[in-house]
Amino acid sequence: MNKVKLTELGIKESRDLLNRKEISAEELTNAYIQNIKESSKLNAFIEKTFDKALMQASEADKIIGTDSQKSLCGIPLGIKDLFCCKNVKTQAASNILDSFIPPYESTVTDKLWNEQAVMLGKLNMDEFAMGSSNETSAYGPAINPWRMSNSDEPLTPGGSSGGSSAAVAANLCAGATGTDTGGSIRQPASFTGTVGLKPTYGRCSRWGIIAFASSFDQAGPITKNVTDSAIMLKAMSGFDPKDSTSAKMEVPDYEQHLEKDIRGLRIGLAREYSLKKGNPAAEQKWEQAISLLKNMGAEFVEVSLPHTEFALPTYYVLAPAEASSNLARYDGVRYGRRATLDTNDSILELYEKTRSEGFGIEVKRRILIGTYVLSSGYYDAYYKRAQKVRSLIKNDFDEVFNKVDLILTPTTPTPAFPLGSKGTQDPVEMYMNDIFTVPANLAGLPAISLPVGLDDFELPLGVQLIGNNWQEPLLLNAAFNLENALAFESKPKNWWADG
Ligand code: GLN
């Protein structure tokens, strides 16, 4: 099998070939390394760990076929730069963490290496995961491998996990980790024709993941298909005594649940989540997804989540509040970068200069908003109020999940958009991307995005399924059935390979 074909495979398919010894982990890893080397135009990887990858691959080759073999043995993965990896540069794509090398490994990545996965490197993202287009990265944006049929204009791969989605869509890794605070796994997945899963809050440990908004942040996989999502999720999940919000619950074998039929499944269509008119292909794909699910025996129920319109404003009070507190630790003393000081500068000037130089504009905006809504004069008016609305949003979902098993929504209001086209004058324009994804984060619920087809300009479109707490098995089961029925096979045309 040639190199190109190898990297087109997903995790499960690669695992099967490795198990049958038709390929070696080293061969597979080298094929991905080659692709990464030829894809600098996509700016997906911001730190490469090829030596480590080849060492892990050669270890994997010794283990495959023995009793010590684990679930991801020899599978090459990319890791979002938000996950601390021991002795590997980890910057959250921010200048303030310039050259920071953690002396510890995040629990999620530690679990992946324990399952014998291979680490190809760190993936580009929005600075501290704040953004929806990867444009706030200190490294410049990752580029979507997909382009519109009538233009060569570079498009965003989504954000904040834009390096992860671009890398998976362009076959630069078999799967990738992402994190999702308001949509950062699902929106990039939807923009790149990949599958992105945000688990229930508490499913994956947050320990060692650089914190953005701690009551929202969850790690999850971005993969080429639903089966791979199930495989990676299992490896990433589980209780961790080092994260007090991680849940002490068994991790199901998600793969076992995929193939069950979905007859009698009740799926809610929420009135408040309607697609904007004007993209006929998007409407048609949406209708098609519904009718395929109906054909498989699912029942659709119209439901209402009346507080949905407050989700985005609530998120943009609470997430910056938590961010402002989490980011207070970057003071030029303990981590990463320190500004050059004049001889007479005070400690306060050290903080000020380091923080002004180190943080980008969007991160500064969030810190300012967050500090404002937490300040004593405004705490009740904004922060406390937003917490109350958060409860109302959660209650809406609780009500609806008395009537249905899952909720189906579009993942994003639009497909991928050109770089530089949104949010330059008004940040709210960028925030609107998360309108369908943020509610699940406010309520802590699991949700998955999967591709449903292409729009009129041949760009991928995604749909989202939202489940009740801990319903990942059902979510994956329904997504797997829909994926099969849709048979979405389209791939981006390869314009980016050098040489
Ligand atoms: N786009 C959202 C934001 O900018 C969500 C980011 C995320 O999920 N990390 O906050």
Side-chain angles (χ1 to χ4, degrees), residues 80 126 128-132 159-161 179-185 212 217 315-316 319 362 366 430-431 433-434 438 441:
K80 186 179 185 180
D126 280 295
F128 283 103
M130 298 175 194
S132 302
S160 64
S161 312
T179 61
D180 193 313
T181 304
S184 279
I185 289 177
F212 163 10
D217 300 344
Y315 172 83
Y316 277 101
E362 184 59 30
R366 308 279 177 116
M430 187 65 84
Y431 301 167
N433 266 287
D434 303 320
V438 149
N441 300 77

Side-chain angles (χ1 to χ4, degrees), residues 189-190 192-195 224 449-453 460-463 482-483 486 488:
S190 152
T192 55
T194 56
V195 174
K224 296 179 187 177
S449 174
L450 70 155
V452 278
L461 298 162
V463 285
L482 180 57
E483 178 184 59
L486 285 160
F488 173 77

Side-chain angles (χ1 to χ4, degrees), residues 253-301:
D253 186 351
Y254 299 110
E255 225 183 319
Q256 298 284 319
H257 294 264
L258 296 175
E259 291 184 23
K260 293 179 188 158
D261 79 57
I262 55 165
R263 225 165 305 153
L265 189 74
R266 295 163 306 164
I267 302 180
L269 288 177
R271 211 169 295 149
E272 295 79 5
Y273 286 64
S274 57
L275 262 184
K276 256 210 232 108
K277 299 274 174 235
N279 192 334
E283 285 166 40
Q284 190 241 325
K285 296 294 162 195
W286 169 249
E287 294 301 332
Q288 187 194 4
I290 295 173
S291 71
L292 289 171
L293 287 162
K294 273 188 189 156
N295 290 346
M296 291 184 282
E299 291 161 24
F300 279 84
V301 182

